Coordinates of all heavy atoms in Angstrom, one line a residue:
M1272 N 24.4 7.8 -14.7 CA 25.3 7.2 -15.7 C 25.7 8.2 -16.7 O 24.9 8.9 -17.2 CB 24.6 6.0 -16.4 CG 24.3 4.8 -15.6 SD 23.8 3.6 -16.7 CE 22.8 2.6 -15.7
A1273 N 26.9 8.2 -17.0 CA 27.4 9.1 -18.0 C 27.2 8.6 -19.4 O 27.2 7.4 -19.6 CB 28.9 9.4 -17.9
N1274 N 27.0 9.5 -20.4 CA 26.8 9.0 -21.7 C 28.1 9.0 -22.4 O 28.7 10.0 -22.8 CB 25.8 10.0 -22.5 CG 25.5 9.5 -23.8 OD1 25.9 8.4 -24.3 ND2 24.7 10.3 -24.6
H1275 N 28.7 7.8 -22.6 CA 30.0 7.7 -23.2 C 29.9 7.2 -24.7 O 30.9 6.8 -25.2 CB 30.8 6.7 -22.4 CG 31.1 7.1 -21.1 ND1 32.0 8.1 -20.8 CD2 30.6 6.7 -19.9 CE1 32.0 8.3 -19.5 NE2 31.2 7.5 -18.9
G1276 N 28.7 7.2 -25.3 CA 28.6 6.7 -26.6 C 28.5 5.1 -26.6 O 28.4 4.5 -25.6
P1277 N 28.6 4.6 -27.8 CA 28.5 3.1 -27.9 C 29.7 2.4 -27.2 O 30.8 2.9 -27.2 CB 28.5 2.8 -29.4 CG 29.2 4.0 -30.0 CD 28.9 5.2 -29.1
S1278 N 29.4 1.2 -26.7 CA 30.4 0.5 -26.0 C 30.7 -0.8 -26.9 O 29.8 -1.3 -27.6 CB 30.1 0.1 -24.6 OG 28.8 -0.6 -24.6
Y1279 N 31.9 -1.3 -26.7 CA 32.3 -2.5 -27.5 C 33.0 -3.5 -26.6 O 33.4 -3.2 -25.5 CB 33.3 -2.1 -28.6 CG 32.7 -1.0 -29.6 CD1 32.9 0.3 -29.4 CD2 31.8 -1.4 -30.6 CE1 32.4 1.3 -30.3 CE2 31.3 -0.5 -31.5 CZ 31.6 0.8 -31.3 OH 31.0 1.8 -32.1
G1280 N 33.0 -4.7 -27.1 CA 33.8 -5.8 -26.4 C 33.2 -6.1 -25.0 O 32.0 -6.2 -24.8
L1281 N 34.1 -6.1 -24.0 CA 33.7 -6.5 -22.7 C 32.8 -5.5 -22.1 O 31.8 -5.9 -21.4 CB 35.0 -6.6 -21.8 CG 34.7 -7.0 -20.3 CD1 34.0 -8.4 -20.3 CD2 36.1 -7.0 -19.6
S1282 N 33.0 -4.2 -22.4 CA 32.1 -3.2 -21.8 C 30.7 -3.4 -22.3 O 29.7 -3.3 -21.5 CB 32.5 -1.8 -22.3 OG 33.8 -1.5 -21.7
R1283 N 30.5 -3.7 -23.6 CA 29.2 -4.0 -24.2 C 28.5 -5.2 -23.5 O 27.4 -5.2 -23.2 CB 29.3 -4.1 -25.7 CG 27.9 -4.3 -26.3 CD 27.0 -3.1 -26.2 NE 25.8 -3.4 -26.8 CZ 24.6 -2.8 -26.4 NH1 24.6 -2.0 -25.5 NH2 23.5 -3.1 -27.1
E1284 N 29.3 -6.2 -23.3 CA 28.8 -7.5 -22.8 C 28.4 -7.2 -21.3 O 27.3 -7.7 -20.9 CB 29.9 -8.5 -22.8 CG 29.5 -9.9 -22.2 CD 30.6 -10.9 -22.3 OE1 31.5 -10.8 -23.1 OE2 30.6 -11.8 -21.4
L1285 N 29.1 -6.5 -20.6 CA 28.7 -6.2 -19.2 C 27.5 -5.3 -19.2 O 26.6 -5.5 -18.3 CB 29.9 -5.5 -18.4 CG 31.1 -6.4 -18.2 CD1 32.2 -5.5 -17.5 CD2 30.7 -7.5 -17.3
E1286 N 27.4 -4.4 -20.1 CA 26.2 -3.5 -20.2 C 24.9 -4.3 -20.5 O 23.9 -4.2 -19.9 CB 26.4 -2.5 -21.3 CG 25.3 -1.5 -21.4 CD 25.5 -0.5 -22.5 OE1 26.7 -0.1 -22.7 OE2 24.5 -0.1 -23.1
R1287 N 25.1 -5.3 -21.4 CA 23.9 -6.2 -21.8 C 23.5 -7.0 -20.6 O 22.3 -7.2 -20.4 CB 24.3 -7.0 -23.0 CG 24.3 -6.3 -24.3 CD 24.5 -7.2 -25.4 NE 24.5 -6.4 -26.7 CZ 25.0 -6.8 -27.8 NH1 25.7 -8.0 -27.8 NH2 24.9 -6.1 -28.9
K1288 N 24.5 -7.6 -19.8 CA 24.2 -8.4 -18.7 C 23.4 -7.5 -17.6 O 22.4 -8.0 -17.0 CB 25.4 -9.0 -18.0 CG 26.0 -10.1 -18.8 CD 27.2 -10.7 -18.1 CE 27.7 -11.9 -18.8 NZ 28.8 -12.6 -18.1
S1289 N 23.9 -6.3 -17.4 CA 23.2 -5.4 -16.5 C 21.8 -5.1 -16.9 O 20.9 -5.2 -16.1 CB 24.0 -4.1 -16.4 OG 23.4 -3.2 -15.5
Q1290 N 21.6 -4.9 -18.2 CA 20.2 -4.6 -18.7 C 19.3 -5.8 -18.6 O 18.1 -5.7 -18.3 CB 20.3 -4.1 -20.1 CG 20.9 -2.7 -20.3 CD 21.1 -2.3 -21.7 OE1 20.9 -3.1 -22.6 NE2 21.5 -1.1 -21.9
A1291 N 19.9 -7.0 -18.7 CA 19.1 -8.2 -18.7 C 18.6 -8.5 -17.2 O 17.6 -9.0 -17.0 CB 19.9 -9.4 -19.2
R1292 N 19.4 -8.1 -16.3 CA 19.1 -8.3 -14.9 C 18.1 -7.3 -14.3 O 17.4 -7.5 -13.3 CB 20.3 -8.3 -14.0 CG 21.1 -9.5 -14.1 CD 22.2 -9.4 -13.0 NE 23.1 -8.3 -13.4 CZ 24.4 -8.4 -13.5 NH1 25.0 -9.5 -13.3 NH2 25.1 -7.3 -13.8
F1293 N 18.0 -6.1 -15.0 CA 17.1 -5.0 -14.5 C 15.7 -5.4 -14.7 O 15.2 -5.9 -15.7 CB 17.4 -3.8 -15.4 CG 16.5 -2.6 -15.0 CD1 16.8 -1.9 -13.8 CD2 15.4 -2.3 -15.7 CE1 16.0 -0.8 -13.4 CE2 14.6 -1.2 -15.3 CZ 14.9 -0.5 -14.2
N1294 N 14.9 -5.2 -13.6 CA 13.5 -5.6 -13.6 C 12.7 -4.3 -13.3 O 12.7 -3.8 -12.2 CB 13.2 -6.6 -12.5 CG 11.8 -7.1 -12.5 OD1 10.9 -6.3 -12.7 ND2 11.6 -8.4 -12.2
L1295 N 12.0 -3.9 -14.4 CA 11.3 -2.6 -14.3 C 10.2 -2.6 -13.2 O 10.0 -1.7 -12.5 CB 10.7 -2.2 -15.7 CG 10.1 -0.9 -15.8 CD1 11.1 0.2 -15.4 CD2 9.5 -0.7 -17.2
T1296 N 9.5 -3.7 -13.1 CA 8.4 -3.8 -12.1 C 9.0 -3.7 -10.7 O 8.4 -2.9 -9.8 CB 7.7 -5.2 -12.2 OG1 7.2 -5.4 -13.5 CG2 6.6 -5.3 -11.2
E1297 N 10.1 -4.3 -10.4 CA 10.8 -4.1 -9.1 C 11.3 -2.7 -8.9 O 11.2 -2.2 -7.8 CB 11.9 -5.1 -8.9 CG 11.5 -6.5 -8.8 CD 12.7 -7.5 -8.7 OE1 13.9 -7.1 -8.8 OE2 12.4 -8.7 -8.6
A1298 N 11.8 -2.1 -9.9 CA 12.2 -0.7 -9.8 C 11.0 0.2 -9.5 O 11.2 1.1 -8.6 CB 12.9 -0.3 -11.1
H1299 N 9.9 0.0 -10.1 CA 8.7 0.8 -9.8 C 8.3 0.6 -8.3 O 8.0 1.6 -7.6 CB 7.5 0.4 -10.7 CG 7.7 0.8 -12.1 ND1 7.0 0.2 -13.1 CD2 8.4 1.7 -12.7 CE1 7.3 0.7 -14.3 NE2 8.2 1.7 -14.1
E1300 N 8.3 -0.6 -7.9 CA 8.0 -0.9 -6.5 C 8.9 -0.2 -5.5 O 8.5 0.4 -4.5 CB 8.0 -2.4 -6.2 CG 6.9 -3.2 -6.8 CD 7.0 -4.7 -6.6 OE1 7.8 -5.1 -5.7 OE2 6.4 -5.4 -7.4
V1301 N 10.2 -0.2 -5.8 CA 11.2 0.4 -4.9 C 11.0 1.9 -4.9 O 11.0 2.6 -3.9 CB 12.7 0.1 -5.4 CG1 13.7 0.9 -4.7 CG2 12.9 -1.4 -5.1
L1302 N 10.8 2.5 -6.1 CA 10.6 4.0 -6.2 C 9.3 4.4 -5.4 O 9.3 5.4 -4.7 CB 10.5 4.4 -7.6 CG 11.9 4.3 -8.4 CD1 11.7 4.7 -9.8 CD2 12.9 5.2 -7.8
L1303 N 8.3 3.6 -5.5 CA 7.0 3.9 -4.8 C 7.3 3.8 -3.3 O 6.7 4.6 -2.5 CB 5.9 3.0 -5.3 CG 5.4 3.3 -6.7 CD1 4.4 2.2 -7.2 CD2 4.8 4.7 -6.8
W1304 N 8.0 2.8 -2.9 CA 8.4 2.6 -1.5 C 9.2 3.8 -1.0 O 8.9 4.3 0.1 CB 9.1 1.3 -1.3 CG 9.6 1.1 0.1 CD1 8.8 0.6 1.1 CD2 10.9 1.4 0.6 NE1 9.6 0.6 2.3 CE2 10.8 1.0 2.0 CE3 12.0 1.8 0.1 CZ2 11.9 1.2 2.8 CZ3 13.1 2.0 0.9 CH2 13.1 1.7 2.3
I1305 N 10.2 4.2 -1.7 CA 11.0 5.4 -1.3 C 10.1 6.6 -1.1 O 10.2 7.3 -0.2 CB 12.1 5.7 -2.3 CG1 13.1 4.6 -2.3 CG2 12.7 7.0 -2.0 CD1 14.2 4.7 -3.4
E1306 N 9.1 6.8 -2.1 CA 8.2 7.9 -1.9 C 7.4 7.8 -0.7 O 7.2 8.8 0.1 CB 7.3 8.0 -3.1 CG 7.9 8.6 -4.4 CD 6.9 8.9 -5.5 OE1 5.8 8.2 -5.5 OE2 7.1 9.7 -6.3
S1307 N 6.9 6.7 -0.4 CA 6.0 6.5 0.8 C 6.8 6.6 2.1 O 6.4 7.1 3.1 CB 5.2 5.2 0.8 OG 6.1 4.1 0.9
A1308 N 8.1 6.1 2.1 CA 8.9 6.2 3.3 C 9.4 7.6 3.6 O 9.6 7.9 4.8 CB 10.1 5.2 3.1
T1309 N 9.6 8.4 2.6 CA 10.2 9.7 2.8 C 9.1 10.8 2.7 O 9.3 11.9 3.2 CB 11.2 10.1 1.7 OG1 10.6 10.1 0.4 CG2 12.4 9.1 1.8
G1310 N 8.0 10.5 2.1 CA 6.9 11.6 1.9 C 7.3 12.6 0.8 O 6.7 13.6 0.6
R1311 N 8.4 12.3 0.1 CA 8.9 13.1 -0.9 C 8.6 12.5 -2.3 O 8.9 11.4 -2.6 CB 10.4 13.3 -0.8 CG 11.1 14.1 -1.8 CD 12.6 14.0 -1.7 NE 13.1 14.6 -0.5 CZ 13.4 15.9 -0.4 NH1 13.3 16.7 -1.4 NH2 13.8 16.4 0.8
Q1312 N 7.9 13.3 -3.1 CA 7.5 12.9 -4.5 C 8.7 13.1 -5.5 O 9.4 14.1 -5.4 CB 6.3 13.6 -5.0 CG 5.1 13.5 -4.1 CD 4.6 12.1 -4.1 OE1 4.4 11.5 -5.2 NE2 4.3 11.5 -2.9
F1313 N 8.9 12.1 -6.3 CA 9.9 12.3 -7.4 C 9.3 13.2 -8.4 O 8.1 13.4 -8.5 CB 10.2 10.9 -8.1 CG 11.0 10.0 -7.2 CD1 10.4 8.9 -6.6 CD2 12.3 10.2 -7.0 CE1 11.1 8.0 -5.8 CE2 13.0 9.4 -6.2 CZ 12.4 8.3 -5.6
P1314 N 10.2 13.9 -9.2 CA 9.7 14.8 -10.2 C 8.8 14.2 -11.3 O 8.0 14.8 -11.9 CB 11.0 15.4 -10.9 CG 12.1 14.8 -10.2 CD 11.6 13.8 -9.2
E1315 N 9.1 12.9 -11.5 CA 8.3 12.1 -12.5 C 7.5 11.0 -11.7 O 8.1 10.5 -10.8 CB 9.1 11.5 -13.6 CG 9.9 12.5 -14.4 CD 10.8 11.9 -15.4 OE1 10.3 10.9 -16.0 OE2 11.9 12.3 -15.6
D1316 N 6.4 10.6 -12.3 CA 5.7 9.5 -11.7 C 6.5 8.2 -11.9 O 6.8 7.9 -13.0 CB 4.3 9.3 -12.4 CG 3.5 8.2 -11.8 OD1 3.8 7.7 -10.7 OD2 2.6 7.8 -12.5
P1317 N 6.9 7.5 -10.8 CA 7.7 6.3 -10.9 C 7.2 5.3 -11.9 O 7.9 4.6 -12.6 CB 7.8 5.8 -9.5 CG 7.6 7.0 -8.7 CD 6.7 7.8 -9.4
V1318 N 5.9 5.1 -11.9 CA 5.2 4.1 -12.7 C 5.3 4.4 -14.2 O 5.3 3.6 -15.1 CB 3.8 3.9 -12.3 CG1 3.1 2.8 -13.1 CG2 3.7 3.5 -10.8
A1319 N 5.5 5.7 -14.5 CA 5.7 6.1 -15.9 C 7.0 5.9 -16.5 O 7.2 6.0 -17.7 CB 5.3 7.6 -16.1
L1320 N 8.0 5.6 -15.6 CA 9.4 5.4 -16.1 C 9.4 4.1 -16.9 O 8.9 3.1 -16.5 CB 10.4 5.3 -15.0 CG 10.4 6.6 -14.1 CD1 11.3 6.4 -12.9 CD2 10.8 7.8 -14.9
E1321 N 10.2 4.1 -18.0 CA 10.1 3.0 -19.0 C 11.4 2.1 -19.1 O 11.4 1.0 -19.7 CB 9.8 3.5 -20.4 CG 8.4 4.1 -20.4 CD 8.0 4.6 -21.8 OE1 8.9 4.6 -22.7 OE2 6.9 5.1 -21.9
D1322 N 12.5 2.6 -18.5 CA 13.7 1.8 -18.6 C 14.7 2.1 -17.5 O 14.5 3.0 -16.7 CB 14.4 2.0 -20.0 CG 14.7 3.4 -20.3 OD1 14.7 4.3 -19.3 OD2 15.1 3.7 -21.4
S1323 N 15.8 1.4 -17.4 CA 16.8 1.6 -16.4 C 17.4 3.0 -16.4 O 17.7 3.6 -15.4 CB 17.9 0.5 -16.4 OG 18.6 0.6 -17.6
Q1324 N 17.6 3.5 -17.6 CA 18.2 4.9 -17.7 C 17.2 5.9 -17.1 O 17.7 6.8 -16.3 CB 18.4 5.2 -19.2 CG 19.1 6.5 -19.4 CD 20.5 6.5 -19.1 OE1 21.1 5.4 -19.0 NE2 21.1 7.6 -18.7
A1325 N 15.9 5.8 -17.2 CA 15.0 6.7 -16.6 C 15.0 6.6 -15.1 O 15.0 7.6 -14.4 CB 13.6 6.5 -17.2
V1326 N 15.1 5.4 -14.6 CA 15.1 5.1 -13.2 C 16.4 5.8 -12.6 O 16.4 6.4 -11.6 CB 15.1 3.6 -12.9 CG1 15.3 3.4 -11.4 CG2 13.7 3.1 -13.3
S1327 N 17.5 5.6 -13.3 CA 18.8 6.2 -12.9 C 18.7 7.7 -12.8 O 19.2 8.3 -11.9 CB 19.9 5.8 -13.8 OG 20.2 4.4 -13.8
E1328 N 18.1 8.3 -13.8 CA 18.0 9.7 -13.8 C 17.2 10.3 -12.6 O 17.5 11.3 -12.1 CB 17.3 10.2 -15.1 CG 18.2 10.2 -16.3 CD 19.4 11.1 -16.2 OE1 19.3 12.3 -15.7 OE2 20.5 10.7 -16.5
V1329 N 16.1 9.5 -12.2 CA 15.3 10.0 -11.1 C 16.1 9.9 -9.8 O 15.9 10.8 -8.9 CB 14.0 9.1 -11.0 CG1 13.3 9.3 -9.7 CG2 13.1 9.4 -12.2
L1330 N 16.9 8.9 -9.7 CA 17.7 8.7 -8.4 C 19.0 9.5 -8.5 O 19.7 9.5 -7.5 CB 17.9 7.2 -8.2 CG 16.7 6.4 -7.9 CD1 17.0 4.9 -7.9 CD2 16.0 6.9 -6.6
K1331 N 19.4 10.0 -9.6 CA 20.7 10.6 -9.8 C 21.2 11.6 -8.8 O 22.3 11.6 -8.3 CB 20.7 11.2 -11.2 CG 22.1 11.8 -11.6 CD 21.9 12.3 -13.0 CE 23.2 12.9 -13.6 NZ 23.0 13.4 -14.9
D1332 N 20.3 12.5 -8.4 CA 20.7 13.6 -7.4 C 20.9 13.1 -6.0 O 21.5 13.7 -5.2 CB 19.7 14.7 -7.5 CG 18.3 14.4 -7.0 OD1 18.1 13.3 -6.5 OD2 17.4 15.3 -7.1
G1333 N 20.3 11.9 -5.7 CA 20.5 11.3 -4.4 C 19.7 11.9 -3.2 O 19.8 11.5 -2.1
I1334 N 18.9 12.9 -3.5 CA 18.2 13.6 -2.5 C 17.2 12.7 -1.7 O 17.2 12.7 -0.5 CB 17.5 14.9 -3.0 CG1 18.5 15.9 -3.4 CG2 16.5 15.5 -2.0 CD1 18.0 17.1 -4.1
S1335 N 16.4 12.0 -2.5 CA 15.4 11.1 -1.9 C 16.1 10.0 -1.0 O 15.6 9.7 0.1 CB 14.6 10.4 -2.9 OG 13.8 11.4 -3.6
L1336 N 17.2 9.5 -1.5 CA 17.9 8.4 -0.7 C 18.5 9.0 0.5 O 18.5 8.4 1.6 CB 18.9 7.7 -1.6 CG 18.4 7.0 -2.8 CD1 19.5 6.4 -3.7 CD2 17.5 5.9 -2.4
C1337 N 19.1 10.2 0.4 CA 19.7 10.9 1.6 C 18.6 11.2 2.6 O 18.8 11.0 3.8 CB 20.4 12.1 1.2 SG 22.0 11.9 0.4
D1338 N 17.4 11.6 2.1 CA 16.3 11.9 3.0 C 15.9 10.7 3.7 O 15.6 10.7 4.9 CB 15.2 12.5 2.2 CG 14.1 13.1 3.0 OD1 14.3 13.5 4.2 OD2 12.9 13.2 2.5
Y1339 N 15.8 9.6 3.0 CA 15.4 8.3 3.6 C 16.3 7.9 4.7 O 15.9 7.6 5.8 CB 15.2 7.2 2.6 CG 15.0 5.9 3.3 CD1 13.8 5.5 3.9 CD2 16.1 4.9 3.4 CE1 13.6 4.4 4.6 CE2 15.9 3.7 4.1 CZ 14.7 3.5 4.7 OH 14.5 2.3 5.3
V1340 N 17.6 7.9 4.4 CA 18.6 7.5 5.4 C 18.6 8.5 6.6 O 18.6 8.0 7.8 CB 20.0 7.5 4.8 CG1 21.1 7.4 5.8 CG2 20.1 6.4 3.7
S1341 N 18.4 9.7 6.4 CA 18.4 10.7 7.5 C 17.2 10.4 8.4 O 17.3 10.4 9.7 CB 18.3 12.1 7.0 OG 19.5 12.5 6.4
R1342 N 16.0 10.2 7.8 CA 14.8 9.9 8.6 C 15.0 8.6 9.3 O 14.5 8.5 10.5 CB 13.6 9.8 7.6 CG 13.1 11.1 7.1 CD 12.1 10.9 6.0 NE 11.7 12.1 5.4 CZ 10.7 12.8 5.6 NH1 9.8 12.5 6.6 NH2 10.4 14.0 5.0
R1343 N 15.6 7.6 8.7 CA 15.7 6.3 9.4 C 16.7 6.4 10.6 O 16.4 5.8 11.6 CB 16.3 5.3 8.3 CG 16.3 3.9 8.8 CD 14.9 3.3 9.0 NE 15.1 2.0 9.5 CZ 14.5 1.5 10.6 NH1 13.7 2.3 11.3 NH2 14.7 0.3 11.0
L1344 N 17.8 7.2 10.4 CA 18.7 7.4 11.5 C 18.0 8.1 12.7 O 18.3 7.8 13.8 CB 19.9 8.1 11.0 CG 20.9 7.3 10.2 CD1 22.0 8.2 9.6 CD2 21.5 6.1 10.9
L1345 N 17.2 9.1 12.3 CA 16.5 9.8 13.4 C 15.5 8.9 14.1 O 15.3 9.0 15.3 CB 15.7 11.0 12.8 CG 16.6 12.2 12.5 CD1 15.7 13.3 11.7 CD2 17.1 12.8 13.7
E1346 N 14.8 8.0 13.3 CA 13.9 7.0 14.0 C 14.7 6.1 14.9 O 14.1 5.7 16.0 CB 13.2 6.2 12.9 CG 12.2 6.9 12.1 CD 11.7 6.0 11.0 OE1 11.9 4.8 10.9 OE2 11.0 6.6 10.1
L1347 N 15.9 5.8 14.6 CA 16.7 4.9 15.5 C 17.4 5.7 16.6 O 18.2 5.1 17.3 CB 17.7 4.1 14.6 CG 17.1 3.2 13.5 CD1 18.2 2.7 12.6 CD2 16.4 2.1 14.2
N1348 N 17.1 7.0 16.6 CA 17.8 7.8 17.6 C 19.3 7.8 17.5 O 20.0 8.0 18.5 CB 17.4 7.4 19.1 CG 15.9 7.7 19.3 OD1 15.3 8.6 18.8 ND2 15.3 6.8 20.0
S1349 N 19.8 7.6 16.3 CA 21.2 7.6 16.1 C 21.7 9.1 15.9 O 22.9 9.3 16.1 CB 21.6 6.8 14.8 OG 21.2 5.5 15.1
L1350 N 20.9 9.9 15.5 CA 21.2 11.3 15.3 C 20.3 12.2 16.1 O 19.1 12.0 16.2 CB 21.1 11.7 13.8 CG 22.1 11.2 12.8 CD1 21.7 11.6 11.4 CD2 23.5 11.6 13.1
E1351 N 20.9 13.3 16.6 CA 20.1 14.3 17.2 C 19.5 15.2 16.0 O 20.2 15.2 14.9 CB 20.9 15.2 18.1 CG 21.4 14.5 19.3 CD 20.3 14.0 20.2 OE1 19.3 14.7 20.4 OE2 20.4 12.9 20.8
E1352 N 18.5 15.9 16.2 CA 17.9 16.7 15.2 C 19.0 17.7 14.6 O 19.0 17.9 13.4 CB 16.7 17.5 15.7 CG 15.9 18.2 14.6 CD 15.0 17.3 13.8 OE1 14.5 16.3 14.4 OE2 14.9 17.5 12.6
S1353 N 19.8 18.3 15.5 CA 20.8 19.3 15.0 C 21.9 18.6 14.2 O 22.6 19.3 13.5 CB 21.4 20.0 16.2 OG 22.0 19.1 17.1
D1354 N 22.1 17.3 14.4 CA 23.2 16.6 13.7 C 22.8 16.0 12.4 O 23.6 15.4 11.7 CB 23.7 15.5 14.6 CG 24.4 15.9 15.8 OD1 24.9 17.1 15.8 OD2 24.4 15.2 16.8
Q1355 N 21.5 16.2 12.0 CA 21.0 15.7 10.8 C 21.7 16.3 9.6 O 21.9 17.5 9.5 CB 19.5 15.9 10.7 CG 18.9 15.3 9.4 CD 17.4 15.4 9.4 OE1 16.8 16.1 10.3 NE2 16.8 14.9 8.4
P1356 N 22.2 15.5 8.6 CA 22.9 16.0 7.5 C 22.0 16.9 6.7 O 20.8 16.7 6.6 CB 23.2 14.8 6.6 CG 23.0 13.6 7.5 CD 22.1 14.0 8.6
H1357 N 22.6 18.0 6.1 CA 21.8 18.9 5.3 C 21.7 18.4 3.9 O 22.7 17.9 3.3 CB 22.6 20.3 5.3 CG 22.0 21.2 4.3 ND1 20.8 21.8 4.5 CD2 22.5 21.7 3.1 CE1 20.5 22.6 3.5 NE2 21.6 22.6 2.6
I1358 N 20.6 18.4 3.3 CA 20.4 18.0 1.9 C 20.3 19.2 1.1 O 19.5 20.1 1.2 CB 19.0 17.2 1.8 CG1 19.1 16.0 2.7 CG2 18.8 16.8 0.4 CD1 17.8 15.2 2.8
D1359 N 21.3 19.3 0.2 CA 21.5 20.5 -0.7 C 20.6 20.4 -1.9 O 20.8 19.6 -2.8 CB 23.0 20.6 -1.1 CG 23.2 21.9 -1.9 OD1 22.3 22.7 -2.1 OD2 24.4 22.1 -2.4
E1360 N 19.5 21.2 -1.9 CA 18.6 21.2 -3.0 C 18.7 22.5 -3.8 O 17.8 22.8 -4.5 CB 17.2 21.0 -2.5 CG 17.0 19.7 -1.8 CD 15.5 19.5 -1.4 OE1 14.7 19.4 -2.3 OE2 15.2 19.3 -0.2
S1361 N 19.8 23.2 -3.7 CA 19.9 24.4 -4.4 C 20.0 24.2 -5.9 O 20.4 23.2 -6.4 CB 21.2 25.1 -3.9 OG 22.4 24.4 -4.3
S1362 N 19.7 25.3 -6.6 CA 19.8 25.2 -8.0 C 21.2 25.0 -8.5 O 21.4 24.4 -9.5 CB 19.2 26.5 -8.6 OG 19.9 27.6 -8.2
R1363 N 22.2 25.5 -7.8 CA 23.6 25.4 -8.2 C 23.9 23.9 -8.1 O 24.6 23.4 -9.0 CB 24.5 26.2 -7.3 CG 25.9 26.1 -7.6 CD 26.7 27.0 -6.8 NE 28.1 26.9 -7.1 CZ 29.1 27.4 -6.4 NH1 28.8 28.2 -5.4 NH2 30.3 27.3 -6.8
H1364 N 23.5 23.2 -7.1 CA 23.7 21.7 -7.0 C 23.0 21.0 -8.1 O 23.6 20.1 -8.7 CB 23.2 21.2 -5.7 CG 23.4 19.8 -5.5 ND1 24.7 19.2 -5.3 CD2 22.5 18.8 -5.4 CE1 24.5 17.9 -5.1 NE2 23.2 17.6 -5.2
Q1365 N 21.8 21.4 -8.5 CA 21.1 20.8 -9.5 C 21.8 21.0 -10.9 O 21.8 20.1 -11.7 CB 19.6 21.3 -9.6 CG 18.8 21.0 -8.4 CD 18.7 19.5 -8.1 OE1 18.6 18.7 -9.1 NE2 18.7 19.1 -6.9
E1366 N 22.3 22.2 -11.1 CA 23.0 22.5 -12.3 C 24.3 21.6 -12.4 O 24.6 21.1 -13.5 CB 23.5 23.9 -12.3 CG 22.3 24.9 -12.6 CD 22.8 26.4 -12.4 OE1 24.0 26.6 -12.4 OE2 21.9 27.2 -12.2
W1367 N 25.0 21.4 -11.3 CA 26.1 20.5 -11.3 C 25.8 19.1 -11.7 O 26.4 18.5 -12.4 CB 26.8 20.6 -9.9 CG 28.0 19.7 -9.8 CD1 29.3 19.9 -10.3 CD2 28.0 18.4 -9.3 NE1 30.1 18.9 -10.0 CE2 29.4 17.9 -9.4 CE3 27.1 17.6 -8.6 CZ2 29.7 16.7 -8.9 CZ3 27.5 16.3 -8.2 CH2 28.8 15.9 -8.3
L1368 N 24.7 18.6 -11.1 CA 24.2 17.3 -11.4 C 23.8 17.1 -12.8 O 24.1 16.0 -13.4 CB 23.0 16.9 -10.5 CG 23.3 16.6 -9.0 CD1 22.1 16.4 -8.3 CD2 24.2 15.4 -8.9
S1369 N 23.3 18.1 -13.4 CA 22.8 18.0 -14.8 C 24.0 17.9 -15.8 O 23.8 17.4 -16.9 CB 21.9 19.2 -15.2 OG 22.7 20.3 -15.3
T1370 N 25.2 18.2 -15.3 CA 26.4 18.1 -16.2 C 27.0 16.7 -16.1 O 27.9 16.4 -16.8 CB 27.5 19.1 -15.9 OG1 27.9 18.9 -14.5 CG2 26.9 20.5 -16.0
R1371 N 26.5 15.9 -15.2 CA 27.1 14.5 -14.9 C 26.4 13.5 -15.8 O 25.4 13.5 -16.1 CB 27.0 14.1 -13.5 CG 27.7 15.1 -12.5 CD 29.2 15.0 -12.7 NE 29.8 16.0 -11.9 CZ 30.7 16.8 -12.4 NH1 31.0 16.8 -13.7 NH2 31.3 17.7 -11.7

């Protein structure tokens, strides 16, 4: 999520509804499940995350989700090993993500 400063009117109302629906316990469970399914640890302990913004930051780069999808497709024999998508974990990609 981009930091656009304070929101007003309809934007603020939608933001509040989104925050009201967010369940931190469920987010912790999902993040722990992603870690166990991929074998890839997040940079921060998922249980230590305190709000939706922190959860968004952990998932922001998409690497864990791409890794999960790739593993799942391989399990289903939908992809050959050579056709597996490349996950770009380079520092240049990380720098680009940090500006978003």
Side-chain angles (χ1 to χ4, degrees):
M1272 291 190 206
N1274 184 5
H1275 297 287
S1278 57
Y1279 301 97
L1281 181 59
S1282 295
R1283 181 64 180 152
E1284 183 179 333
L1285 293 174
E1286 183 180 329
R1287 284 184 179 159
K1288 284 184 179 182
S1289 177
Q1290 290 174 354
R1292 285 187 296 231
F1293 180 77
N1294 184 320
L1295 187 58
T1296 304
E1297 289 178 0
H1299 289 160
E1300 289 176 20
V1301 169
L1302 292 173
L1303 291 171
W1304 176 81
I1305 291 171
E1306 280 188 339
S1307 69
T1309 62
R1311 177 186 293 271
Q1312 300 294 311
F1313 288 108
E1315 298 179 42
D1316 180 18
V1318 179
L1320 302 175
E1321 297 180 355
D1322 58 15
S1323 63
Q1324 186 70 24
V1326 172
S1327 295
E1328 284 297 317
V1329 167
L1330 294 173
K1331 183 178 180 178
D1332 64 7
I1334 292 173
S1335 294
L1336 297 175
C1337 286
D1338 190 25
Y1339 171 73
V1340 170
S1341 296
R1342 288 172 188 260
R1343 188 69 181 123
L1344 288 172
L1345 284 172
E1346 287 174 12
L1347 297 172
N1348 295 323
S1349 296
L1350 289 176
E1351 296 295 324
E1352 190 75 38
S1353 61
D1354 294 333
Q1355 184 174 4
H1357 171 71
I1358 299 173
D1359 185 3
E1360 296 184 62
S1361 67
S1362 61
R1363 185 174 177 191
H1364 179 70
Q1365 297 299 326
E1366 289 171 17
W1367 178 82
L1368 285 173
S1369 68
T1370 63
R1371 301 288 173 236

